[in-house]
Amino acid sequence: MAPPLRIAIDDCTAISPICPLSSTIYGYRPSLAINALLLAIFALLTLTQLLLGIRYKTYILAYILVLGFISESLGYAGRIILHNNPYSSLGFRLQITCLIYAPSFLAAAVYISLARIVRTFGSETSILKPKLYTWIFVTCDVIALILQAAGGGIAGGAGKDQALRKRGTDTMIAGIVWQVFTLLVFGFLVVVYIARTKKAWNSGSVSEEAKETWGRRGFRCFVAGVAIAFVTIFARCLYRIAEMVGGWANPIMRDEKSFVVMEGFMMVIAGLALTVFHPGYCFPETRRKEESESVEEVTDGSVVIGKT
């Protein structure tokens, strides 16, 4: 009797008796319904942000978020491909790369939003000048994006080269850890700014315009939306670190439910928060800022804003 045919799992290209589902990296066939729903949500968010950006002329914010939502959409398209063929190299590369770096765009939107809030409430109580929030944290975010995208591309295209796949994985982890560190520093600065601004508010040194802005329900909804996005992005990053450090095909990576909740739903919540509470109608000062960029001049230690 001839011995059973054996091939290396890395040579598998489709499910078969000698290439079982259990031998794939994820160990499951991604849910078609869930991933189609997530794809549809992010596609809708892409269109909505595009229309809102045109309507309210918040072009910078729209550009960043549209890139993020398109990346999310492509990632879930990759998971749909994996549903049809769990051994698909294209599906794996698409989802591992796009879903790893997409949240970096949403984080950038959060950083930019804080800069706009600081401009409204005054930079005197802020450790950093408003423009520095954008420059420093968006730069850090770009570094995280490059590391995660490069790592995802290396890991996804490693094929049978386990050493190369490990280098890609380590690069992705470095990018996510860097993003978590950046978020922690950002969160610390936010807490300090809130505490100082509250003290200034009690002492009566906050401008009447700022108080009027805070009194608007729309603005408070905008702030809540940014806070929700920050928390969900941070939670997603912590999950991704736990998922990746255990190596490929570890128990966390093979748990679809935790992935859907901590990756999919967290990013949906962040995307909805940044879209439903859009600054175009919740925080019109942002719209005016993008219509005509200001020039900051430091005079006697105070910041004077003048339109160009």
Side-chain angles (χ1 to χ4, degrees), residues 13-15 21 24 26-36 75-92 94-95 256:
T13 58
I15 297 294
L21 179 62
T24 62
Y26 294 116
Y28 63 82
R29 192 184 293 271
S31 168
L32 177 60
I34 290 295
N35 288 288
Y76 288 105
R79 288 183 68 82
I80 291 174
I81 294 173
L82 286 178
H83 168 82
N84 296 323
N85 178 13
Y87 280 104
S88 170
S89 177
L90 172 62
F92 176 73
L94 196 58
Q95 65 92 33
E256 184 178 22

Side-chain angles (χ1 to χ4, degrees), residues 270-292:
L272 287 172
L274 293 171
T275 302
V276 173
F277 304 121
H278 193 273
Y281 47 81
C282 287
F283 188 21
E285 288 81 359
T286 295
R287 179 180 62 193
R288 290 196 292 269
K289 171 64 187 173
E290 291 200 15
E291 286 176 349
S292 178

